[in-house]
């Protein structure tokens, strides 16, 4: 699988991968991503946060990675990669593409001196919880967002599961984290 940083020429490809994943997801649960406006994806592409994965020149997956996510992770400044909008093509499902992509993100994070991978999903989605726990993420907590949250629509009034993967053994970090989460 080849990894590239998406450019503006890939805007529609990324939009299509996200829409197709949303359509499939919508068939199983009403709590899904919104249709992401192309302008918003374009802004992420301009920030070089969007990645595309291809097999035999076919784009099969995308992910958006940020280095902060203060509104969801309470202003945390921990060295982390935040994983958003991970989506694989349905006709490539069941082959472990997601796991391969997460492995790549892990390597990228370590090379970038990060100590954690983090992401959030809907608290009602037990299958996704199971999926991410199987990939080595720990469920840190469930967080509810007020209806007037400044976050995008799909967070307003929703409860989300926050997941984290510690990439390096670091006792001090671990203790600080446990204290801040009240674990
Ligand atoms: C999550 C995802 C990237 C994983 O890709 P993958 O490694 O190729 O794995 P698969 O697509 O084969 O899915 C693995 C399992 O997770 C389940 N799953 C995946 N996305 C799910 C979702 N949004 N809701 C519920 N279950 C989901 C699949 O049904 C499958 O379950 P099974 O093993 O019981 O059959 C991919 O399934 C996807 O694009 N999902 C839709 C978009 C999405 O939900 N992204 C994550 C948002 S946090």
């Amino acid at each position: 699988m080849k990894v590239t940083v998406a450019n503006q020429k890939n805007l529609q490809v990324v939009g299509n991968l996200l829409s197709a994943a949303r359509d499939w997801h919508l068939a199983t649960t009403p709590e899904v991503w919104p249709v992401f406006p192309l302008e918003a994806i374009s802004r992420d592409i301009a920030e070089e946060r969007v990645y595309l994965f291809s097999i035999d020149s076919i784009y099969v997956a995308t992910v958006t990675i940020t280095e902060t996510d203060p509104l969801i992770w309470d202003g945390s400044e921990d060295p982390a990669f935040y994983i958003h909008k991970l989506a694989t093509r349905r006709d490539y499902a069941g082959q472990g593409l997601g796991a391969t992509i997460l492995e790549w993100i892990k390597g990228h994070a370590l090379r970038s001196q990060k100590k954690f991978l983090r992401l959030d999903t809907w608290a009602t989605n037990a299958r996704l919880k199971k999926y991410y726990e199987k990939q080595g993420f720990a469920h840190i907590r469930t967080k509810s967002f007020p209806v007037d949250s400044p976050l995008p629509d799909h967070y307003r009034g929703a409860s989300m599961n926050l997941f984290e993967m510690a990439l390096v053994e670091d006792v001090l970090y671990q203790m600080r984290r446990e204290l801040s989460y009240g674990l």
Side-chain angles (χ1 to χ4, degrees):
M1 192 155 52
K2 194 176 153 202
V3 190
T4 49
V5 180
N7 61 48
Q8 297 296 345
K9 285 187 199 145
N10 305 130
L11 179 59
Q12 197 61 56
V13 171
V14 176
N16 290 348
L17 282 166
L18 293 172
S19 297
R22 178 182 188 273
D23 291 346
W24 172 77
H25 194 165
L26 198 53
T28 58
T29 162
E31 286 190 296
V32 297
W33 288 327
V35 175
F36 295 110
L38 285 181
E39 306 80 67
I41 300 173
S42 173
R43 280 197 295 275
D44 281 336
I45 289 178
E47 297 284 339
E48 300 188 345
R49 297 169 166 171
V50 182
Y51 296 83
L52 275 166
F53 300 83
S54 57
I55 295 176
D56 298 335
S57 304
I58 296 170
Y59 291 119
V60 294
T62 182
V63 70
T64 299
I65 299 172
T66 62
E67 295 189 74
T68 58
D69 202 352
L71 292 176
I72 293 177
W73 290 82
D74 301 330
S76 168
E77 291 181 4
D78 291 338
F81 268 174
Y82 296 85
I83 299 172
H84 306 275
K85 303 190 186 103
L86 173 62
T88 54
R89 264 175 70 140
R90 288 326 296 163
D91 48 347
Y92 285 77
Q95 300 179 28
L97 281 195
T100 307
I101 292 167
L102 289 169
E103 268 308 306
W104 178 81
I105 296 173
K106 221 190 281 183
H108 181 29
L110 284 168
R111 288 189 295 277
S112 309
Q113 321 299 323
K114 303 297 179 191
K115 296 194 173 184
F116 304 102
L117 296 185
R118 291 176 174 164
L119 59 88
D120 63 273
T121 67
W122 289 269
T124 48
N125 197 323
R127 279 169 74 202
L128 267 183
K129 179 170 186 286
K130 198 170 138 206
Y131 176 77
Y132 283 116
E133 286 177 340
K134 195 170 154 202
Q135 305 305 323
F137 285 83
H139 175 229
I140 297 295
R141 64 189 169 116
T142 301
K143 182 171 174 179
S144 297
F145 294 88
V147 285
D148 60 351
S149 163
L151 282 162
D153 269 0
H154 60 293
Y155 285 95
R156 295 186 191 146
S159 287
M160 307 300 277
N161 280 335
L162 272 55
F163 294 95
E164 180 179 272
M165 185 190 290
L167 299 173
V168 285
E169 279 290 319
D170 189 325
V171 177
L172 280 180
Y173 254 96
Q174 208 69 14
M175 281 168 62
R176 192 157 66 77
R177 195 175 133 257
E178 286 173 12
L179 277 175
S180 66
Y181 293 146
L183 297 176

